[in-house]
Amino acid sequence: MFIKIKLKTLNNLSIFCYTMSYYKFRKCDKYSFESIENQTIYFATLHNLNDLFEGICSIREDVSKEVVDKLNRRFIYCISEGDDSFIKNNHYMWTHYADNFKGFCIEYNDCIFDGFQDYNIVGDTQSNVWMRVIYTDSCTDAIDNADNIEQRIGNKICYKKRDFERENEIRLVLHDTKEHIHSRHIKSAIKAIYLGCRISIDDKMKLIGIATKLKIPCYQMCLANASYTLEAHRINVNYEDLCFVDPNTCQLIDVDDKTLNESLAKVTDTQNL
């Protein structure tokens, strides 16, 4: 989660500085579990992302082949920037990207940017860069000549329809050369894992087992009382505090000893794999 740092000014006044975290919402499946366990992220082409209008613009015929070729060698990994209120209040992300609260969310620290340069400084995508998405109601300018093609390709990647503004997205853009490796190892970049309110017991136990093995904090999300927000409860396997949630009410519930022991056994089995 975000860090609140108290600073002292010359006039002895207190200032609070908030550092952001970076989030990836996922559904539960074999590939998302393996991605965490192997501490690896996988990049997609621009046209494999969820927005139908990604990168849409007019391209003059005599430069279209060059533009398409360059775009096909750029691969993207999308994350969202925010403090801890982002996972508590952004129900849209849980619904659309975490299988309607049956999935989970990964929190990354700044190490996720290792090996990537700031696009605003570099100015093009000929190297590996990160960029904040710019949300707009209009398409990017037409590419009607060969001037500044690299910069214009960067604009195609970082502009997105305003409907997606609530995602607060940052993109890691991988420039593929001849290696054709569209993944990156991200050791030490995963800060925490948050389990959706409606996650199944089996998926929950698998993720707890992976998180415990990697020594990553794991939290259970549930509805806050009398509020349109969520709250995160730390899961502590050592103290048998697994924070079970009723999938219908999405609120914390007590479980009997038999269910608890069966769940702990699943965690142990996962750790031994």
Side-chain angles (χ1 to χ4, degrees):
M1 292 184 287
F2 78 115
I3 302 171
K4 186 178 182 181
I5 305 172
K6 188 174 182 179
L7 306 174
K8 288 288 186 179
T9 67
L10 292 175
N11 296 322
N12 205 32
L13 296 174
S14 296
I15 295 178
F16 292 96
C17 176
Y18 296 87
T19 62
M20 294 296 185
S21 286
Y22 309 95
Y23 301 96
K24 183 72 172 180
F25 292 80
R26 303 291 303 268
K27 67 178 182 180
C28 291
D29 59 27
K30 172 186 175 182
Y31 303 105
S32 60
F33 294 159
E34 287 179 352
S35 176
I36 298 177
E37 194 160 22
N38 298 329
Q39 298 183 77
T40 301
I41 58 175
Y42 297 91
F43 294 73
T45 61
L46 187 68
H47 299 296
N48 282 333
L49 301 180
N50 65 313
D51 181 7
L52 180 65
F53 301 100
E54 287 281 5
I56 190 171
C57 77
S58 176
I59 305 174
R60 203 175 70 188
E61 186 176 353
D62 61 331
V63 295
S64 63
K65 185 178 184 305
E66 182 180 1
V67 171
V68 170
D69 179 64
K70 288 180 180 294
L71 278 175
N72 286 340
R73 288 188 280 114
R74 270 63 174 182
F75 295 83
I76 299 165
Y77 187 73
C78 306
I79 54 179
S80 295
E81 181 181 39
D83 57 26
D84 70 339
S85 66
F86 190 83
I87 58 168
K88 294 178 180 178
N89 299 325
N90 198 323
H91 304 166
Y92 166 88
M93 299 298 289
W94 281 106
T95 302
H96 288 268
Y97 295 102
D99 196 18
N100 197 22
F101 296 93
K102 295 192 288 289
F104 62 98
C105 176
I106 306 169
E107 180 183 11
Y108 297 111
N109 56 35
D110 290 343
C111 292
I112 192 69
F113 298 105
D114 288 354
F116 292 84
Q117 303 178 72
D118 186 343
Y119 173 71
N120 288 330
I121 296 174
V122 178
D124 60 49
T125 59
Q126 294 187 77
S127 56
N128 297 334
V129 298
W130 65 268
M131 56 175 65
R132 284 187 172 86
V133 168
I134 299 171
Y135 299 96
T136 177
D137 292 320
S138 58
C139 297
T140 56
D141 295 336
I143 301 179
D144 53 10
N145 58 61
D147 295 338
N148 300 320
I149 278 187
E150 291 292 346
Q151 185 177 18
R152 295 185 182 198
I153 285 174
N155 289 341
K156 282 173 64 66
I157 294 174
C158 75
Y159 279 83
K160 194 170 182 178
K161 202 168 185 289
R162 193 177 297 279
D163 292 357
F164 295 89
E165 194 167 15
R166 71 189 81 182
E167 296 179 3
N168 205 26
E169 185 178 337
I170 290 179
R171 292 183 164 179
L172 306 181
V173 183
L174 191 66
H175 181 199
D176 180 35
T177 54
K178 296 180 180 179
E179 297 178 354
H180 302 292
I181 299 174
H182 309 144
S183 63
R184 274 294 178 94
H185 189 58
I186 53 162
K187 187 176 182 180
S188 303
I190 300 179
K191 193 173 179 180
I193 297 173
Y194 299 85
L195 310 182
C197 302
R198 293 171 173 160
I199 193 168
S200 71
I201 294 295
D202 284 346
D203 288 335
K204 176 172 182 164
M205 293 306 124
K206 288 175 184 175
L207 284 168
I208 291 175
I210 294 171
T212 304
K213 183 161 50 177
L214 297 176
K215 298 181 179 178
I216 298 171
C218 195
Y219 296 83
Q220 175 65 62
M221 304 302 295
C222 66
L223 288 179
N225 290 330
S227 172
Y228 285 125
T229 189
L230 303 175
E231 54 188 24
H233 291 261
R234 177 72 179 265
I235 295 172
N236 191 331
V237 177
N238 293 331
Y239 292 95
E240 301 184 353
D241 181 12
L242 296 184
C243 304
F244 284 92
V245 174
D246 186 321
N248 296 315
T249 65
C250 295
Q251 293 181 323
L252 290 178
I253 57 173
D254 293 326
V255 298
D256 55 42
D257 290 339
K258 179 181 178 182
T259 303
L260 183 59
N261 290 332
E262 289 175 350
S263 301
L264 286 170
K266 289 183 179 181
V267 175
T268 303
D269 290 342
T270 304
Q271 291 175 315
N272 291 333
L273 291 178

